């Protein structure tokens, strides 16, 4: 598990457990938003991987994606169970984020198997980077859950292996996939910024009003770190960022 570069010694809410931190109603609202966004993202990932399995060229590829989809659904269940435990209704918590995520997936529907792999690898990784950054400012109980559900299902390594093999077999595929990945990067960052901007509790958390430690300049640095990580992953795929 990677730790964000900006991780520091825990202070404030980051050093508290949920029982203590949730006494602040604004912080509680931010966590409900965060878990709702994550839960819908995991549900969407499950649906997408199940669809991608239909495009798989071999039975072993189909089975691999089915296992990954199952892992995503387990993450979804963990998040909705936690929302129930903290007296938040899971569907209501997810509802505000459904439109943005559905729009993203509609606007970035892959045309083939390889585009689907790149989309999952790029999109999921950007989302995971974003949530790991936020997790560094959460209470200890919520942070542990968020980091647990961000555990790699194996899709990253699977995508790298299949995409690199495809490019080696047909180098011209690389140019098309590189353009596709750049489009995905832009759409994913726009969607993340839109979600934060639309939810007051989440945006306040990021700029320091709830958990402390972030300011507007730090938010900019956070997105720069996410972009740098994307560039490294593109290199791992054998594609130019």
């Amino acid at each position: 598990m990677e730790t964000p570069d900006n991780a520091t010694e825990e202070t404030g809410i980051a050093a508290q457990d949920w029982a203590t931190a949730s006494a602040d109603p604004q912080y509680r609202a931010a966590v409900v938003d965060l878990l709702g966004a994550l839960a819908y993202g995991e549900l969407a990932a499950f649906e997408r991987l199940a669809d991608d399995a239909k495009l798989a060229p071999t039975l072993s590829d189909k089975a691999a994606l089915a296992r990954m989809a199952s892992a995503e659904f387990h993450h979804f269940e963990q998040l909705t169970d936690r929302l129930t435990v903290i007296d938040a209704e899971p569907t209501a918590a997810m509802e505000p984020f459904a439109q943005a995520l559905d729009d993203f997936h509609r606007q970035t529907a892959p045309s083939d198997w390889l585009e689907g792999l790149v989309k999952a690898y790029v999109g999921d990784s950007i989302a995971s980077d974003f949530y790991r950054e936020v997790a560094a400012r959460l209470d200890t109980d919520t942070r542990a859950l968020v980091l647990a559900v961000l555990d790699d299902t194996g899709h990253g390594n699977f995508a790298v292996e299949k995409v690199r093999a495809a490019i080696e077999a047909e180098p011209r595929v690389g140019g098309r996939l590189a353009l596709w990945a750049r489009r995905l990067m832009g759409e994913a960052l726009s969607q993340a910024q839109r979600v934060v901007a639309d939810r007051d509790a989440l945006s306040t958390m990021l700029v320091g009003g709830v958990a402390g430690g972030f300011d507007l300049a730090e938010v900019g640095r956070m997105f720069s770190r996410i972009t740098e990580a994307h560039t490294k992953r593109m290199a791992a795929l054998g594609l130019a960022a």
Side-chain angles (χ1 to χ4, degrees):
M1 180 71 64
E2 293 182 2
T3 302
D5 293 340
N6 64 319
T8 58
E9 184 179 350
E10 293 172 5
T11 59
I13 283 179
Q16 299 173 9
D17 62 11
W18 169 252
T20 304
S22 61
D24 180 342
Q26 192 174 34
Y27 176 74
R28 185 186 183 282
V31 169
V32 170
D33 272 354
L34 181 68
L35 297 183
L38 261 172
Y40 193 78
E42 294 292 339
L43 182 60
F46 161 74
E47 293 177 320
R48 189 194 62 237
L49 285 169
D51 284 341
D52 287 350
K54 299 173 186 176
L55 300 172
T58 70
L59 183 57
S60 62
D61 290 337
K62 187 184 294 287
L65 287 181
R67 283 192 293 272
M68 294 170 201
S70 177
E72 299 287 10
F73 193 78
H74 177 59
H75 290 163
F76 165 75
E77 291 179 314
Q78 288 178 285
L79 290 159
T80 53
D81 286 349
R82 179 60 179 170
L83 282 163
T84 300
V85 166
I86 65 174
D87 297 322
E89 205 286 308
T91 300
M94 291 187 289
E95 199 77 52
F97 308 100
Q99 188 65 54
L101 279 165
D102 288 348
D103 286 348
F104 170 74
H105 288 304
R106 185 170 54 253
Q107 293 162 3
T108 58
S111 63
D112 60 22
W113 160 250
L114 290 174
E115 285 191 1
L117 288 178
V118 171
K119 176 182 175 179
Y121 180 64
V122 171
D124 289 355
S125 296
I126 292 169
S128 292
D129 287 345
F130 173 74
Y131 288 123
R132 283 193 178 93
E133 292 274 358
V134 176
R137 300 300 191 271
L138 296 172
D139 66 272
T140 55
D141 298 317
T142 305
R143 181 166 64 249
L145 172 64
V146 169
L147 293 179
V149 301
L150 292 177
D151 270 346
D152 187 9
T153 63
H155 199 212
N157 290 337
F158 180 82
V160 169
E161 176 188 338
K162 297 298 180 181
V163 171
R164 289 187 72 94
I167 293 172
E168 185 175 343
E170 190 176 352
R172 66 179 182 177
V173 168
R176 172 172 67 87
L177 293 179
L179 288 173
W180 172 244
R182 282 196 285 274
R183 178 186 167 194
L184 291 168
M185 176 65 175
E187 294 282 358
L189 285 180
S190 294
Q191 185 241 351
Q193 290 164 342
R194 173 184 166 189
V195 166
V196 171
D198 286 349
R199 304 300 293 175
D200 289 343
L202 273 181
S203 60
T204 302
M205 175 187 284
L206 282 175
V207 298
V210 174
F214 272 106
D215 57 25
L216 289 173
E218 177 55 29
V219 171
R221 289 190 289 270
M222 177 186 72
F223 280 107
S224 292
R225 286 192 294 272
I226 292 172
T227 302
E228 289 168 9
H230 167 73
T231 300
K232 292 177 182 177
R233 278 190 292 267
M234 289 287 283
L237 279 174
L239 300 174

